[in-house]
Amino acid sequence: MSLDETMVRMGEMAVSREPGDTLVALGLGSCIGLALVDPRPGIAGLAHVVLPESAGRDERVGRFADHAVPALVEQLQRLGAVRPRLKAILVGGASMFALGGNALDVGPRNEAAVREQLTALRISVVATETGGSRGRTIRVDVQTGRVTAREAGGIEAELFAGAPVRLALGAAA
Amino acid sequence: MSSHFTEMQLDALRELANIGSGTASTSLSGMLGRSVDISVPAAAAVSFADAIELIGPPEEEVTGVAIGVVGEMDGIVLLLMRTEAAAVLCGMLGVDAESEMGQSAIGEIGNIVGTAYLNAFAQMTGLTLEPSPPQSATDMLGAIVSTVLAGVCGDDDLALILDSDLRVEGEDCNVSFLMVPTREGVEELLGRLGLGS
């Protein structure tokens, strides 16, 4: 049950460590929804990446993979996340229109660019739902790091379980 | 509304969209044998994030037909209809919307109507415009529109959207018409209208 959903729209990013927060990117097509989670302290971030390369532009950091990934990591670190503990989950990067090889086929290039940035930062990708031709929605539960994805007309499925919420009893161990 | 365009420029673009969609409605009407109404078009220059919200709920399932435009103004014409509206159109043409025939009928409607729109646009502005074959998809509105915006507007976070609605009389059937030119395309277009910057 989410108390509060933060919509991460095209080219935007958001980070949180509020228990009960959910970060959401609705209707990803060729864009990539990149979730970075540090489940232990319950910190998570989501970027809605539109294009692979900024080619020198530095306006909106969420739009381009080469800006978005380092910027998201930095914002998470400021909230207290530890980089070696971060796990990446990728959703989106579809080829929405049947004919490939044109301007509308930026999905696979977006995924490659995001992965390249993650590799450079030594962050492992633990789950993906990318490629294909369907649009998707990604939801990230901040407290547990649980990530789900839903395709058009489909049901919400878990991509990454995250860490279970610790109960007061368990904390004694 | 954005400060990137003046109210006069947006008015002129709205008028163009109006004439384009008028021509498109005539061609749709001819195909269906029914009258087709048009709404007053909207012209807006907005960020990608705002564009989706302007057009509709991101998770709503819609059918989109994208027609690429190349020539003196590059861009994409995108027809959007709710899946129910696509089914109504297919029903009027006597094909099952779920079948392959249905998909191809929707693509063809998009092609004819989109080309009519583009022809009106080309005649009004004196621009040479060439449509590419239509590509269709049935999916979440956000997924379809964001892919078109990323492909057309690229690294500018500004989309000029000309939006008009066609409504088939007596049916719950609306088709939205979006014209999304590239940034260079917009400049060229405004130049032809004598409203260049």
Side-chain angles (χ1 to χ4, degrees):
Chain A
M1 287 303 115
S2 62
L3 302 176
D4 198 10
E5 291 202 329
T6 301
M7 294 300 158
V8 181
R9 307 181 304 164
M10 268 184 105
E12 297 178 339
M13 62 169 70
V15 294
S16 171
R17 62 173 306 161
E18 283 298 310
D21 265 7
T22 306
L23 309 178
V24 186
L26 298 172
L28 296 161
S30 61
C31 297
I32 292 276
L34 165 67
L36 289 179
V37 299
D38 185 352
R40 199 125 54 98
I43 301 173
L46 179 63
H48 190 149
V49 179
V50 181
L51 291 164
E53 280 160 31
S54 58
R57 283 177 199 78
D58 65 351
E59 349 132 11
R60 295 277 302 279
V61 289
R63 305 180 53 222
F64 304 104
D66 56 351
H67 283 164
V69 182
L72 188 63
V73 171
E74 197 191 307
Q75 289 189 22
L76 287 165
Q77 284 173 323
R78 248 183 266 145
L79 278 188
V82 178
R83 198 178 68 185
R85 274 204 313 247
L86 287 174
K87 307 264 183 282
I89 298 96
L90 270 61
V91 171
S95 305
M96 298 301 301
F97 294 94
L99 304 174
N102 59 21
L104 295 184
D105 204 19
V106 74
R109 289 196 290 126
N110 277 338
E111 182 180 356
V114 169
R115 281 179 177 278
E116 190 183 319
Q117 293 292 328
L118 291 170
T119 305
L121 292 165
R122 294 190 296 282
I123 295 170
S124 57
V125 176
V126 292
T128 58
E129 184 153 318
T130 52
S133 62
R134 304 310 309 263
R136 302 170 177 104
T137 286
I138 180 173
R139 280 194 161 74
V140 185
D141 179 62
V142 169
Q143 188 173 13
T144 59
R146 181 175 185 263
V147 178
T148 59
R150 188 178 82 84
E151 281 194 354
I155 53 159
E156 202 157 339
E158 181 176 287
L159 266 185
F160 182 64
V165 177
R166 282 165 299 168
L167 301 171
L169 282 175
Chain B
M1 210 61 73
S2 159
S3 56
H4 294 273
F5 297 100
T6 65
E7 211 30 59
M8 188 188 264
Q9 288 173 326
L10 289 173
D11 264 345
L13 294 169
R14 230 170 264 137
E15 185 52 27
L16 261 185
N18 197 22
I19 293 165
S21 55
T23 311
S25 76
T26 308
S27 87
L28 183 61
S29 169
M31 207 177 342
L32 300 174
R34 294 284 275 275
S35 46
V36 175
D37 298 328
I38 58 170
S39 67
V40 177
V46 287
S47 72
F48 285 3
D50 290 337
I52 310 258
E53 277 169 16
L54 189 80
I55 293 164
E59 284 195 298
E60 184 173 44
E61 193 161 315
V62 297
T63 295
V65 182
I67 301 163
V69 184
V70 290
E72 292 174 306
M73 179 193 77
D74 290 356
I76 281 190
V77 172
L78 179 66
L79 278 81
L80 286 175
M81 60 201 99
R82 293 173 53 213
T83 38
E84 295 87 347
V88 169
L89 287 181
C90 285
M92 292 170 89
L93 295 171
V95 295
D96 176 7
E98 299 287 320
S99 68
E100 213 159 285
M101 272 292 282
Q103 281 303 305
S104 125
I106 291 295
E108 195 46 31
I109 289 172
N111 196 22
I112 292 170
V113 176
T115 309
Y117 180 92
L118 273 177
N119 279 340
F121 229 87
Q123 274 177 15
M124 293 271 302
T125 56
L127 292 166
T128 309
L129 302 176
E130 204 175 303
S132 63
Q135 307 184 60
S136 63
T138 296
D139 212 294
M140 295 178 185
L141 180 143
I144 290 176
V145 175
S146 63
T147 301
V148 166
L149 292 178
V152 175
C153 304
D155 29 304
D156 253 323
D157 185 29
L158 182 75
L160 172 73
I161 292 177
L162 304 179
D163 183 3
S164 1
D165 269 353
L166 308 184
R167 201 172 61 79
V168 180
E169 196 184 70
E171 301 280 351
D172 184 13
C173 179
N174 280 27
V175 179
S176 281
F177 234 96
L178 300 174
M179 166 69 133
V180 189
T182 60
R183 191 62 197 262
E184 298 75 27
V186 176
E187 299 299 329
E188 182 65 37
L189 181 59
L190 290 170
R192 293 297 175 108
L193 297 171
L195 292 167
S197 44

